[in-house]
Amino acid sequence: MIVTGPKSVKWNVREPVEESREAAGLKRRIYMEDQKKIYGFIGTGNMGGALARAVRRTQDGGQILLANRSTEKACALAEELGAWTVDNCTLAQRAYYIFLGVKPQMMEAVLSEIAPVLAERRDRFLLVSMAAGLTLERIQEMAGGSYPLIRIMPNTPVSVGEGMVLYTCSPDAEEDIRDFLDGCKAAGRFSRLPEQMMDAASAVAGCGPAFADLFLEALADGGVACGLPRDRAQEYAAQMLAGAARLVLESGEHPGRLKDAVCSPGGTTIQGVRKLEEGGFRGNVMNAVIAAYEKTLELK
């Protein structure tokens, strides 16, 4: 089992080898971290990497283990966070929170690999699934045991602390929820839901950033068409969307009322709204959410 630290110093923990003072120091450090809860991420792609960055804002890098099919990607993130890279089985053996950041179609293979390790553990640990469409029951079935499990659906803005993270959990994970939320609080907002609502909510919050980015890009394109430099048009569109979203959250007003407040009678904004409505804007957005939801159901 090869463990790599943030300075890319390696050692084999099973075979006695003569190690440098630096390697020995790093080795002592990771063992000392056993006294704290270790956050392990299997899969360091867009979502896994974003959550690892969020956890790093509140936890020491030595408490974070990273494993990825592409070791180069895991090593790059470890260097950034001051974390450790390990293989899947080592992570499953050492981490308290085991984040499963792989695609739904890859989940069974990953869990079958680490299942023997999980079965041998006598200490407490939690599985944290990020896979769309896979229920708590299905994840536990794949893992080979009714282990404590938290199912989350984050979105990409967690990387800047503005995420919307939906979660549900198995009954035996209840005692860890407060600590889990505290450790991940830098990711953004968290909302607990009954599991049967997770798929619908993820079609809005999980897929929504792609829809919002598409709208943002179109706004910037329109600005460019009207003569704005690209960088200015993108900045204005992005800040406008961020501000409009915050206004909804902080005011509690219905977005329809806030829209009406901008649309002066006979003014410019209502003409833009008219064009959006002519193009079926609302219906198309609703259909995008429904299509994403239906695709999620197909993954079950």
Side-chain angles (χ1 to χ4, degrees):
M1 180 271 291
I2 300 295
V3 181
T4 308
K7 296 183 180 179
S8 297
V9 176
K10 299 181 179 179
W11 62 86
N12 188 307
V13 299
R14 289 182 178 173
E15 300 175 8
V17 295
E18 189 172 334
E19 56 193 13
S20 68
R21 181 177 300 177
E22 183 180 23
L26 288 171
K27 187 175 179 181
R28 284 194 298 273
R29 181 183 167 198
I30 194 170
Y31 278 113
M32 288 173 62
E33 295 298 343
D34 278 342
Q35 306 307 311
K36 305 174 184 178
K37 289 183 177 177
I38 302 297
Y39 295 76
F41 294 84
I42 296 179
T44 57
N46 292 337
M47 199 59 68
L51 272 172
R53 290 183 180 93
V55 168
R56 180 65 180 87
R57 293 193 190 99
T58 61
Q59 309 296 322
D60 185 79
Q63 291 174 247
I64 299 173
L65 302 181
L66 306 173
N68 195 70
R69 185 171 51 178
S70 166
T71 55
E72 293 79 8
K73 182 178 288 187
C75 286
L77 184 60
E79 187 71 26
E80 175 189 337
L81 303 182
W84 306 95
T85 59
V86 295
D87 56 58
N88 289 351
C89 289
T90 301
L91 188 150
Q93 183 182 52
R94 299 182 62 79
Y96 189 88
Y97 298 111
I98 303 171
F99 287 78
L100 302 166
V102 299
K103 297 182 185 301
Q105 56 268 33
M106 297 172 58
M107 184 65 77
E108 189 164 13
V110 168
L111 285 174
S112 65
E113 177 190 0
I114 67 174
V117 178
L118 299 178
E120 290 180 0
R121 289 188 63 163
R122 297 295 176 263
D123 58 331
R124 184 171 175 81
F125 63 90
L126 273 83
L127 298 177
V128 183
S129 170
M130 294 182 246
L134 296 181
T135 63
L136 295 169
E137 182 180 7
R138 180 64 179 131
I139 292 292
Q140 289 176 328
E141 179 185 332
M142 291 180 181
S146 298
Y147 304 118
L149 172 62
I150 302 174
R151 180 185 169 195
I152 65 173
M153 285 307 302
N155 60 14
T156 50
V158 302
S159 62
V160 292
E162 294 291 343
M164 183 69 252
V165 184
L166 317 167
Y167 74 94
T168 191
C169 69
S170 61
D172 49 0
E174 289 285 353
E175 64 186 82
D176 286 277
I177 287 295
R178 181 175 295 181
D179 285 345
F180 173 77
L181 295 178
D182 186 62
C184 298
K185 62 186 176 184
R189 290 177 177 242
F190 284 76
S191 178
R192 184 167 184 169
L193 287 172
E195 186 168 31
Q196 63 268 27
M197 296 177 65
M198 287 283 286
D199 296 332
S202 67
V204 175
C207 303
F211 308 153
D213 288 338
L214 192 63
F215 181 51
L216 192 159
E217 183 183 30
L219 285 170
D221 285 346
V224 172
C226 294
L228 285 176
R230 168 66 62 181
D231 58 341
R232 296 289 182 88
Q234 183 168 303
E235 176 189 356
Y236 301 159
Q239 179 56 39
M240 179 280 298
L241 283 176
R246 174 166 253 178
L247 184 57
V248 171
L249 291 172
E250 295 190 2
S251 71
E253 290 280 3
H254 189 283
R257 291 193 62 182
L258 296 174
K259 178 264 296 178
D260 289 346
V262 186
C263 295
S264 303
T268 57
T269 305
I270 192 63
Q271 291 304 316
V273 169
R274 178 174 65 84
K275 281 295 183 182
L276 288 174
E277 296 289 17
E278 284 180 0
F281 180 75
R282 293 179 198 235
N284 285 331
V285 173
M286 291 171 65
N287 286 337
V289 173
I290 294 168
Y293 171 70
E294 291 175 343
K295 179 62 177 180
T296 300
L297 298 183
E298 293 176 12
L299 298 173
K300 293 182 179 296

